[in-house]
Amino acid sequence: MPKDLNHNICKETVFERIYNKYSKDLHNYLYYKYGAQLNPNDKAQDAFIKLWDNCKKVTIDKAKSFLFTVANNMMLNEIKHQKVVLKHQKTNPKDYTNETPEFILEKEQFLERYTIALSNLNEEQRVAFLLNKVEGKKHNEIADMLGITKKVVEYRIYTAYNKLKTELEGFKI
């Protein structure tokens, strides 16, 4: 049986008529079946968008079935997603490490000493050093940023490194 070309869902007037006829029923169906927490209005709108995307494939007599099936499947997918989220929230992150308390203490002490040593550098050395070692900028980039030559940048980084090396025993990059 050929499709009636006068009743093509892709026509705006036909689609609007289908929307006006089924939108409230679809929303109510989703609301009563699943409740308000899963946004039944959004899922109803998404179902109509899917209908519009597939308007050439769906006939008018199948539109209602298509809408309700698609919307129901969207709600079921949302419920599955919520279950995954809840399961993930229930898993406790491990509250232990394989690091010894001595190592953790040494790490904290070194970080304190490192912070103090960095603050003892003059601003020019500290800026050049941190741009290079922390942000990974190349010497040419730092020179362009600061408006100085590459040699000056290299000197500042070198002197900062030497000062840190003398203040922090075992400091290596």
Side-chain angles (χ1 to χ4, degrees), residues 28-173:
N28 290 342
Y29 167 75
L30 295 173
Y31 179 78
Y32 296 140
K33 186 168 182 180
Y34 298 105
Q37 69 271 14
L38 296 176
N39 299 324
N41 195 35
D42 290 349
K43 299 299 186 273
Q45 294 297 321
D46 291 343
F48 278 101
I49 291 171
K50 284 246 191 218
L51 177 64
W52 182 256
D53 291 341
N54 295 303
C55 65
K56 293 184 179 175
K57 300 175 189 173
V58 180
T59 60
I60 290 178
D61 55 332
K62 302 286 185 188
K64 181 178 180 182
S65 172
F66 179 85
L67 286 169
F68 280 73
T69 303
V70 166
N72 191 48
N73 288 342
M74 285 181 185
M75 286 298 233
L76 292 173
N77 288 341
E78 183 69 23
I79 290 170
K80 284 182 186 176
H81 175 69
Q82 293 298 328
K83 285 181 181 178
V84 169
V85 169
L86 287 173
K87 182 179 177 185
H88 182 69
Q89 287 175 345
K90 286 181 182 178
T91 58
N92 295 329
K94 66 179 188 174
D95 56 351
Y96 61 90
T97 63
N98 293 333
E99 299 170 342
T100 64
E102 293 84 19
F103 176 78
I104 294 172
L105 182 63
E106 287 176 12
K107 187 169 83 170
E108 290 173 359
Q109 290 173 345
F110 181 81
L111 182 60
E112 286 176 24
R113 289 187 6 232
Y114 178 69
T115 306
I116 292 169
L118 275 178
S119 66
N120 289 339
L121 296 174
N122 66 38
E123 183 181 349
E124 296 163 337
Q125 292 170 336
R126 186 173 50 251
V127 169
F129 181 79
L130 291 175
L131 283 172
N132 181 252
K133 300 302 180 188
V134 174
E135 293 188 21
K137 303 272 187 209
K138 297 193 182 322
H139 293 185
N140 291 333
E141 293 174 304
I142 298 170
D144 290 340
M145 288 173 67
L146 300 177
I148 54 179
T149 65
K150 181 181 171 187
K151 285 288 184 192
V152 173
V153 171
E154 291 171 354
Y155 177 75
R156 288 180 183 176
I157 292 171
Y158 175 76
T159 55
Y161 177 72
N162 282 339
K163 284 184 180 180
L164 290 173
K165 191 174 171 183
T166 57
E167 290 188 36
L168 301 170
E169 55 195 52
F171 178 77
K172 295 180 182 173
I173 296 181

